[in-house]
Amino acid sequence: MKRKGDKLAHAAHVKRHTVGTSNEISFSVLDAARDALDERGRTDREARLPRFGSISLFTLPARRKKPAGTPTKEQGLPLSTGDFASVEPPKSQVPQIAYPSETPSAAPSAPSSSARSAATRPMSSEEASEKPIAQPAEKPPLSPEEEIARRKARRRLSKLVAVAAIALITGVVAVAGGGYLYHDYQQYQDGIMSLNDTLKLVAETDEAIKGLDDFVADPFSSGSRAACEDLRSSLPEVEEKLAQADERARALSVSLRESQGKEAAHQAVATISARNTLVDQGYQIIDAADRAYGAIDQARKAWDVLLSADALARESSELVKDTTPENVQASMTKANEALEAFEEAEASFAEVRSLYPAADFAAFSDYIAKRKEALGHALASDEAILAKDKDAATEHNDAYNAADAEAAERAKGLPDDPSSPVVDAFEAEVEECEKAYSTARLQAGAADAFISDYLGMEIK
């Protein structure tokens, strides 16, 4: 008995430095084996009488069993037939479960004739109710080594399942990520291509914008009128292209994710906005220049008429140096022609003011008025000479000389070019437009510089 206890203690002994080795026997394994044996022991005790001579290796000593009671003789009466009638109540039969023999050499005995007869006869309802239900045979508990091997196998299987799950998840993520990246890259490429197309569409307006720049710089240079007509016909197409490019650029500035492309789209929006400003201000300058062109033409016609009137007035004054009746009469004829020319010039300058109200032709009007005054005194003097009224002739001659001198003084204030008042009015009118145009041109130039660096080419 002592040796058997020593073996039990030796089997339950746990070495210290066995963590992670094949000799590891955890207390959880021992507890599992002990619980399995206790469970089977309880089941055996309920199903059958306890067996003697076996001691569980991993359980505590079994409880002391109560001693069996002393058997008593059954009470009853013997019958004349030889049978025995019992007066005691029937005892319930304890169901018995047949256990396999512990020794493999034991062979099952042949059934007796009484057992065969009992097996062949039909069972009564009471016997059927009292017959115990067969319990499924339980698997024998695993040994500690088998339990360890089972747990190791389960851990290995868990690791394999975990690795397989991780590999599967990784593969799914990789495929999904690859598809997303490919889709994102395809979208990026499509966005860059769309951006390039948009910038090319903007570049198609460069020629017209350059022509507009030259026109705004000098609207009255040679060839400016033809340029004005060309711009009027080309700017609507420029506006249409800028509208299409603006819609695309604004959409790309939102959809593009790459920083350089996104910034290029923003700069495209900036240059398109600046170019729209150039076109808007250019239209106002073109309209003002178009009106100025008509006023300038009319002013030059009025100037020519004025010069003609001055020439007639001088011819009239030259004729009266010799106050013969013929010369005086010819002088009066020239003076009347000069008056008609001055009135025509005055009407022409009035038409210029109607074409370009901002133009100031007051100096011309004052000069013409003084010239007409002088001619009036000349005609009165000529009439006095013909009437031989020397005093009246002298008085009107002195008035003529004073008015002519004053007209000559006013002529000094007249511009050399009669279109100057129109040009001055035009520059005053478009001054704010030119400032806005200059600011927009700088903005467009800065945006174009960034775009040219992005595209690797110069946008002119």
Side-chain angles (χ1 to χ4, degrees):
M1 187 66 184
K2 182 178 181 182
R3 291 181 179 178
K4 195 170 186 179
D6 292 341
K7 291 181 180 180
L8 179 60
H10 181 70
H13 178 64
V14 179
K15 297 181 181 180
R16 291 185 177 180
H17 305 289
T18 60
V19 178
T21 65
S22 60
N23 294 326
E24 176 186 0
I25 301 177
S26 63
F27 282 107
S28 62
V29 175
L30 301 178
D31 293 339
R34 184 193 64 192
D35 293 340
L37 292 176
D38 288 345
E39 182 64 25
R40 178 173 179 178
R42 285 193 296 271
T43 304
D44 292 346
R45 284 193 297 271
E46 293 174 359
R48 62 182 176 82
L49 294 176
R51 294 185 298 170
F52 296 96
S54 63
I55 300 178
S56 176
L57 181 59
F58 299 100
T59 56
L60 297 175
R63 298 178 181 178
R64 181 175 296 176
K65 300 179 181 179
K66 294 181 180 181
T70 303
T72 57
K73 185 178 180 181
E74 185 178 5
Q75 297 180 1
L77 298 174
L79 302 176
S80 59
T81 58
D83 294 331
F84 184 78
S86 176
V87 296
E88 294 181 359
K91 297 180 180 180
S92 61
Q93 296 180 358
V94 178
Q96 299 292 330
I97 299 177
Y99 287 92
S101 176
E102 296 183 356
T103 57
S105 59
S109 57
S112 59
S113 60
S114 61
R116 283 196 301 268
S117 62
T120 54
R121 68 180 177 86
M123 296 174 58
S124 64
S125 59
E126 293 181 358
E127 290 177 347
S129 62
E130 292 179 357
K131 183 178 180 180
I133 300 173
Q135 298 292 335
E138 295 183 357
K139 295 182 179 180
L142 301 176
S143 65
E145 291 79 4
E146 292 174 340
E147 181 67 20
I148 292 173
R150 185 184 67 82
R151 293 198 176 191
K152 285 184 178 181
R154 187 172 60 183
R155 284 196 295 268
R156 285 195 298 270
L157 181 60
S158 300
K159 290 181 180 179
L160 290 175
V161 171
V163 170
I166 292 172
L168 180 61
I169 294 173
T170 304
V172 171
V173 171
V175 171
Y180 174 79
L181 291 176
Y182 176 77
H183 179 69
D184 186 70
Y185 177 76
Q186 198 67 29
Q187 282 188 335
Y188 167 76
Q189 290 295 328
D190 294 342
I192 294 300
M193 291 179 63
S194 179
L195 178 60
N196 292 338
D197 294 340
T198 301
L199 297 178
K200 289 179 181 178
L201 189 62
V202 174
E204 291 178 3
T205 66
D206 288 346
E207 184 177 355
I209 296 296
K210 180 64 169 56
L212 185 60
D213 290 341
D214 296 337
F215 175 81
V216 172
D218 189 2
F220 301 105
S221 64
S222 60
S224 60
R225 296 194 181 191
C228 180
E229 294 299 325
D230 292 340
L231 288 172
R232 279 188 179 277
S233 61
S234 62
L235 286 182
E237 183 180 358
V238 171
E239 288 182 305
E240 183 179 354
K241 289 181 179 180
L242 289 177
Q244 294 176 3
D246 184 64
E247 183 179 358
R248 296 180 186 178
R250 291 184 184 277
L252 290 171
S253 65
V254 176
S255 62
L256 285 177
R257 299 180 182 177
E258 189 262 333
S259 59
Q260 288 292 326
K262 197 176 190 69
E263 182 61 25
H266 283 299
Q267 293 299 327
V269 172
T271 190
I272 292 169
S273 177
R275 288 169 188 244
N276 282 325
T277 302
L278 294 178
V279 172
D280 292 340
Q281 300 303 320
Y283 268 128
Q284 298 184 43
I285 296 172
I286 289 173
D287 290 339
D290 195 23
R291 289 184 285 108
Y293 293 150
I296 288 173
D297 292 341
Q298 187 63 31
R300 285 174 178 168
K301 291 179 181 179
W303 178 254
D304 292 339
V305 175
L306 181 60
L307 292 178
S308 177
D310 279 339
L312 292 172
R314 286 184 179 87
E315 290 178 6
S316 175
S317 65
E318 287 292 332
L319 288 173
V320 293
K321 286 182 180 180
D322 184 7
T323 58
T324 62
E326 292 81 6
N327 289 341
V328 172
Q329 191 65 41
S331 175
M332 291 179 66
T333 303
K334 291 290 182 183
N336 286 324
E337 290 178 359
L339 280 175
E340 292 178 359
F342 278 121
E343 288 178 356
E344 184 181 353
E346 186 176 20
S348 295
F349 282 113
E351 187 176 353
V352 173
R353 286 193 296 272
S354 67
L355 293 175
Y356 210 100
D360 185 10
F361 285 93
F364 291 89
S365 298
D366 293 343
Y367 173 76
I368 291 172
K370 190 56 67 176
R371 276 297 186 185
K372 288 170 66 176
E373 181 184 351
L375 286 174
H377 289 295
L379 287 172
S381 177
D382 289 341
E383 289 177 355
I385 291 174
L386 292 176
K388 298 183 185 294
D389 187 351
K390 186 176 180 181
D391 292 336
T394 302
E395 182 183 356
H396 285 294
N397 188 61
D398 291 341
Y400 169 79
N401 290 332
D404 185 68
E406 188 176 352
E409 190 65 27
R410 292 184 180 182
K412 293 180 181 179
L414 296 177
D416 296 334
D417 187 353
S419 64
S420 295
V422 178
V423 174
D424 294 340
F426 169 82
E427 291 179 350
E429 181 181 353
V430 301
E431 181 180 3
E432 295 299 326
C433 295
E434 288 179 344
K435 289 181 180 180
Y437 189 94
S438 178
T439 301
R441 196 68 193 91
L442 293 175
Q443 294 173 348
D448 290 347
F450 181 90
I451 293 172
S452 64
D453 292 340
Y454 175 77
L455 295 177
M457 66 178 187
E458 183 180 0
I459 297 181
K460 299 182 180 180

